[in-house]
């Protein structure tokens, strides 16, 4: 196992940040910790790095009990949301930092740093100061700096959270490809479900200090354990007494087996997507269609249609 | 002389914010008043000191400065101010780290107390030190038995000088530490750096300009200290007579105004150099942020 967390709990005053958290991160995988802000995911990451200490529980990194180990002895790479660049050092010296601390030879440092700067496409900026780089470049530098010491695990705390949407998408693809090349055990925190679904091998959903569900992105999307996971990973609507994804509802113009009658109350087009809001008596679902489907059905406001969940739709009973 | 320059350095923020274009009649009027005010209060006296210093002639100026007692007074001032600045720098950085980085009971009180010395009259500081270290003072007996004389000698003068300039380095450094946070140190820690190398490689370079500013300010303040040192030193010519005391003694006791102005000029020159240095550091700081 790459990282093993057992029974970890942490309070800040009266606030329970984490409670009874168990987590296993397999070696070489890219795992996402997903959850709303204040849910405890960053605290868990910082506990693994040693930047916070748990009130109870244990942390093991590559088979070594690290619970009482100082951060500098844990061999983890940590990447911060706001980069935490060393402002007074050049890009080169930033990346070289961990190697200088470890007193590696000058030639070895030079070779390794240039190799990493190449990897993150910053070779031509080696002599610049971080203040001369863009946000995305700073974060790539921070990543190279964390990787320079060949950490046992790489921990990223909302690494793309401070970047604008375009750069964020670029960097997340790039992180995925980088991970496929390096295979370093990686745990990254995000509150962006799209990012988590797109990048990770394994997904851990955390809410209110507890783990809600662990599994592959597909599994969690298709078979959410509860309402929270289902709602956090994608859109949810209510049809009768069941929760279902709005793109998993079939629309018919005539009654069919298992359908309920509903009246179209509103139609809204967003690009290629069409959202139909309906009144189905006991519930008011909305359905997500593409333009082709909507046109084939010839939907109009006030019209009566029949709805049922698609055959392989993921569904949850509404908690009473 | 340097008592006035205690404003903390501006470190954060865009200097252009809140600045209006200086056009219009009211702005012109304000400028005129401000300029006149400063000219009458500051510029005129300084110019007059320079004029008065060199009126007797250059050779008289250098003769006055080469008197044994005067050179001794300068040496003593350098020793006292130098030691006070070193102590203030170490204490100031330590306290700044404590106040900026840690939350503990009594933190607010400590923060208020380190500012107290600049608001207390230096004479009071001197008298207080005599109460503590003087004959029959609280610690007077203790320091006497271990063979250190405080009152009437250099340790007392250093103490008095440290006291009056206590918060200057700390107050310069605290805003920078608060502004920068601890992420850089945490990053360094996760990269394997222990406490000492984090301090040397990250914290010190981060605060170096602010600390330099505080040090220069402290030094200027220490050079000019008069009241507290007057009380604790005993003011013995050629022994515990600093440059400021020397000026007063030359003027009041020796009735040698020419020599007094010569010493005064040197202190003014150093103060002006300090201000130039401070504005240079400030500009560097603004560019870096």
């Amino acid at each position: 196992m790459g990282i093993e967390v057992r029974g970890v709990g942490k309070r800040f005053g009266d606030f329970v940040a984490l409670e009874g958290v168990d987590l296993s991160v397999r070696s070489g995988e890219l795992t996402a910790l997903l959850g709303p802000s204040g849910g405890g995911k960053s605290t868990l990451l910082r506990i693994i790095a040693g930047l916070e200490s748990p009130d109870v529980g244990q942390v093991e990194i590559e088979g070594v009990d690290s619970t009482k180990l100082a951060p500098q002895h844990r061999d983890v790479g940590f990447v911060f949301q706001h980069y935490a660049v060393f402002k007074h050092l050049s890009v080169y010296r930033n990346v070289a930092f961990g190697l200088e601390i470890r007193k590696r030879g000058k030639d070895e440092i030079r070779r390794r740093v240039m190799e990493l700067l190449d990897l993150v496409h910053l070779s031509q900026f080696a002599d610049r100061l971080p203040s001369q780089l863009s946000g995305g470049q700073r974060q790539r530098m921070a990543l190279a700096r964390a990787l320079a010491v060949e950490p046992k695990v790489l921990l990223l705390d909302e690494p793309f959270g401070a970047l604008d949407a375009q750069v964020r998408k670029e960097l997340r693809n790039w992180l995925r490809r980088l991970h496929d090349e390096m295979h370093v055990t990686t745990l990254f925190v995000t509150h962006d479900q799209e990012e988590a679904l797109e990048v990770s091998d394994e997904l851990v959903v955390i809410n209110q200090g507890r783990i809600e569900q662990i599994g592959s992105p597909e599994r969690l999307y298709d078979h959410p354990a509860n309402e929270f996971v289902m709602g956090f990973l994608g859109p949810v609507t209510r049809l009768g007494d069941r929760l279902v994804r709005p793109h998993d509802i079939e629309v018919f113009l005539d009654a069919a087996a298992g359908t309920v009658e509903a009246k179209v109350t509103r139609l809204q087009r967003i690009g290629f997507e069409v959202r139909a809001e309906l009144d189905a008596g006991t519930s008011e679902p909305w359905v997500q269609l593409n333009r082709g489907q909507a046109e084939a059905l010839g939907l109009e406001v006030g019209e009566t249609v029949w709805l049922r969940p698609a055959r392989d739709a993921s569904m949850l009973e509404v908690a009473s | 002389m340097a008592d006035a320059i205690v404003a903390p350095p501006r470190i954060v923020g865009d200097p252009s914010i809140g600045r209006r274009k200086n056009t219009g009649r009211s702005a012109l009027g304000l400028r005129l008043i401000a300029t006149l005010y400063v000219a009458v209060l500051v510029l005129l006296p300084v110019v007059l000191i320079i004029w008065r210093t060199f009126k007797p002639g250059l050779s008289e100026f250098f003769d006055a400065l080469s008197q044994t007692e005067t050179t001794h007074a300068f040496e003593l001032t350098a020793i006292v101010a130098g030691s006070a600045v070193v102590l203030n720098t170490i204490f100031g950085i330590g306290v700044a780290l404590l106040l900026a980085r840690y939350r503990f009971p009594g933190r607010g009180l400590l923060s208020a107390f380190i500012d107290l010395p600049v608001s207390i009259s230096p004479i009071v500081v001197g008298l207080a030190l005599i109460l503590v270290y003087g004959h029959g003072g609280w610690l007077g007996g203790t320091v006497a038995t271990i063979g250190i004389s405080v009152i009437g000698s250099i340790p007392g003068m250093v103490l008095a000088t440290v006291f009056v300039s206590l918060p200057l380095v700390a107050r310069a450094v605290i805003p920078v530490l608060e502004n920068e946070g601890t992420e850089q140190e945490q990053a360094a820690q996760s990269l394997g750096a222990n406490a000492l190398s984090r301090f040397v490689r990250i914290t010190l370079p981060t605060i170096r300009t602010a600390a330099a500013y505080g040090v220069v300010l402290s030094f200027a303040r220490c050079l000019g200290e008069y009241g507290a040192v007057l009380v604790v030193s005993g003011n013995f010519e050629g022994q515990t007579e600093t440059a400021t005391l020397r000026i007063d003694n030359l003027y009041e006791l020796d009735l040698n105004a020419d020599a007094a102005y010569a010493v005064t000029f040197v202190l003014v020159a150093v103060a002006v150099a300090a201000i130039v240095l401070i504005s240079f550091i400030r500009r560097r700081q603004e560019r870096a942020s």
Side-chain angles (χ1 to χ4, degrees):
Chain A
M1 273 301 157
I3 304 168
E4 192 77 55
V5 173
R6 280 188 224 101
V8 160
K10 174 81 180 171
R11 281 164 185 268
F12 296 105
D14 286 340
F15 178 71
V16 180
L18 292 172
E19 200 170 11
V21 169
D22 296 298
L23 173 68
S24 301
V25 176
R26 275 192 294 274
S27 289
E29 281 203 343
L30 180 53
T31 303
L33 281 177
L34 176 68
S37 4
K41 53 197 191 311
S42 281
T43 305
L44 179 57
L45 198 75
R46 293 174 63 82
I47 283 174
I48 294 168
L51 298 174
E52 304 276 0
S53 55
D55 299 335
V56 289
Q58 271 187 310
V59 174
E60 230 173 62
I61 297 170
E62 295 287 348
V64 180
D65 182 1
S66 306
T67 318
K68 298 268 186 291
L69 221 52
Q72 60 264 37
H73 300 127
R74 290 198 184 195
D75 253 337
V76 300
F78 201 96
V79 174
F80 296 79
Q81 177 175 6
H82 297 288
Y83 328 127
V85 297
F86 302 142
K87 290 183 182 171
H88 59 290
L89 298 178
S90 67
V91 170
Y92 180 94
R93 293 282 313 279
N94 260 276
V95 177
F97 191 90
L99 298 168
E100 285 177 6
I101 291 286
R102 284 164 175 74
K103 303 210 162 30
R104 299 283 168 79
K106 257 207 162 118
D107 294 335
E108 188 197 340
I109 293 180
R110 169 148 284 276
R111 192 171 38 74
R112 179 95 184 114
V113 171
M114 289 323 283
E115 200 178 287
L116 277 156
L117 285 179
D118 236 18
L119 188 74
V120 299
H121 311 302
L122 288 175
S123 311
Q124 71 272 38
F125 299 128
D127 297 325
R128 294 221 186 154
L129 282 176
S131 58
Q132 296 168 294
L133 301 182
S134 71
Q137 289 169 334
R138 281 182 217 185
Q139 197 58 301
R140 296 208 308 262
M141 183 196 85
L143 198 58
R145 182 177 71 183
L147 289 171
V149 296
E150 293 175 28
K152 288 181 197 160
V153 297
L154 182 61
L155 306 171
L156 305 110
D157 189 4
E158 301 255 11
F160 313 132
L163 301 168
D164 57 51
Q166 189 62 35
V167 182
R168 199 152 69 208
K169 280 202 165 164
E170 265 172 47
L171 274 193
R172 83 163 76 126
N173 287 330
W174 175 81
L175 174 69
R176 180 68 243 186
R177 288 200 305 274
L178 189 76
H179 184 266
D180 292 341
E181 278 174 42
M182 316 248 318
H183 292 295
V184 56
T185 309
T186 304
L187 188 59
F188 87 101
V189 160
T190 179
H191 63 264
D192 180 342
Q193 35 85 9
E194 194 187 314
E195 188 169 289
L197 290 172
E198 191 176 317
V199 174
S200 63
D201 297 315
E202 184 97 342
L203 200 53
V204 180
V205 178
I206 295 193
N207 182 38
Q208 293 186 340
R210 295 169 170 280
I211 291 181
E212 300 276 355
Q213 197 176 3
I214 304 178
S216 70
E218 295 76 27
R219 196 182 143 68
L220 261 60
Y221 191 86
D222 294 338
H223 304 284
N226 56 42
E227 228 178 292
F228 177 83
V229 175
M230 187 170 187
F232 204 78
L233 288 185
V236 177
T237 191
R238 191 174 148 183
L239 181 60
D241 53 4
R242 284 182 294 194
L243 295 172
V244 61
R245 300 231 179 265
H247 52 74
D248 277 347
I249 296 178
E250 290 177 332
V251 181
F252 299 93
L253 294 174
D254 300 298
T259 58
V260 292
E261 192 181 321
K263 188 184 259 182
V264 180
T265 55
R266 188 160 180 254
L267 282 171
Q268 194 187 4
R269 221 191 104 185
I270 305 153
F272 195 66
E273 176 194 334
V274 176
R275 284 186 195 177
E277 291 174 22
L278 303 112
D279 181 358
T282 58
S283 62
E284 292 179 350
W286 68 275
V287 180
Q288 190 179 29
L289 303 162
N290 64 40
R291 220 170 113 196
Q293 289 171 318
E295 275 169 11
L297 287 163
L299 285 186
E300 266 175 53
V301 174
E303 197 179 350
T304 300
V305 292
W306 282 264
L307 308 175
R308 77 173 176 210
R311 220 156 46 87
D312 51 358
S314 52
M315 283 182 293
L316 282 174
E317 298 290 325
V318 176
S320 46
Chain B
M1 101 195 127
D3 295 47
I5 35 173
V6 287
R10 283 172 40 97
I11 288 111
V12 283
D14 179 351
S16 67
I17 288 172
R19 212 180 260 183
R20 274 202 263 167
K21 276 199 182 143
N22 46 1
T23 52
R25 226 180 257 175
S26 61
L28 200 71
L30 281 174
R31 261 163 73 189
L32 199 71
I33 293 170
T35 313
L36 220 70
Y37 190 76
V38 172
V40 170
L41 273 174
V42 183
L43 199 62
L44 192 65
V46 170
V47 170
L48 283 180
I49 280 176
I50 296 168
W51 171 77
R52 180 62 184 82
T53 303
F54 293 102
K55 198 179 74 167
L58 263 183
S59 62
E60 279 76 5
F61 171 72
F62 286 113
D63 283 348
L65 288 187
S66 52
Q67 283 179 17
T68 327
E69 291 82 3
T70 302
T71 50
H72 180 267
F74 278 126
E75 278 167 23
L76 188 61
T77 288
I79 291 169
V80 170
S83 334
V85 167
V86 169
L87 290 173
N88 266 338
T89 307
I90 297 168
F91 168 84
I93 292 176
V95 158
L97 283 169
L98 194 64
L99 287 177
R101 297 272 162 92
Y102 299 94
R103 295 288 173 271
F104 51 91
R107 179 177 168 274
L109 208 64
L110 177 65
S111 179
F113 258 99
I114 69 160
D115 283 336
L116 199 61
V118 277
S119 53
I120 292 185
S121 166
I123 298 277
V124 178
V125 173
L127 289 175
L129 286 177
I130 286 183
L131 275 181
V132 178
Y133 298 103
H135 262 303
W138 266 49
L139 292 174
T142 318
V143 289
T145 43
I146 51 174
I148 303 169
S149 70
V150 175
I151 301 304
S153 63
I154 292 181
M157 297 160 75
V158 172
L159 262 179
T161 312
V162 164
F163 199 110
V164 297
S165 56
L166 192 71
L168 297 178
V169 173
R171 286 291 164 221
V173 170
I174 286 171
V176 178
L177 284 175
E178 283 177 344
N179 198 35
E180 291 298 330
T182 53
E183 276 205 338
Q184 289 189 57
E185 275 90 354
Q186 289 179 0
Q189 193 174 16
S190 78
L191 288 167
N194 59 28
L196 181 66
S197 59
R198 291 200 296 277
F199 181 71
V200 173
R201 285 167 184 264
I202 307 298
T203 317
L204 272 187
T206 303
I207 61 173
R208 68 187 161 196
T209 18
Y213 179 92
V215 165
V216 175
L217 206 59
S218 258
F219 190 67
R221 178 70 186 79
C222 292
L223 277 187
E225 178 45 33
Y226 175 77
V229 168
L230 175 68
V231 176
V232 298
S233 68
N235 195 6
F236 303 122
E237 184 180 76
Q239 289 173 47
T240 60
E241 188 187 42
T242 61
T244 46
L245 298 182
R246 179 79 190 145
I247 292 169
D248 196 43
N249 293 338
L250 281 170
Y251 194 84
E252 304 273 351
L253 302 179
D254 300 359
L255 300 176
N256 186 352
D258 292 352
Y261 279 113
V263 179
T264 304
F265 175 79
V266 174
L267 289 188
V268 170
V270 174
V272 169
I275 286 172
V276 170
L277 196 60
I278 283 171
S279 67
F280 174 75
I281 293 171
R282 252 190 203 186
R283 209 171 306 157
R284 244 190 79 163
Q285 210 163 42
E286 266 167 26
R287 235 185 304 137
S289 65

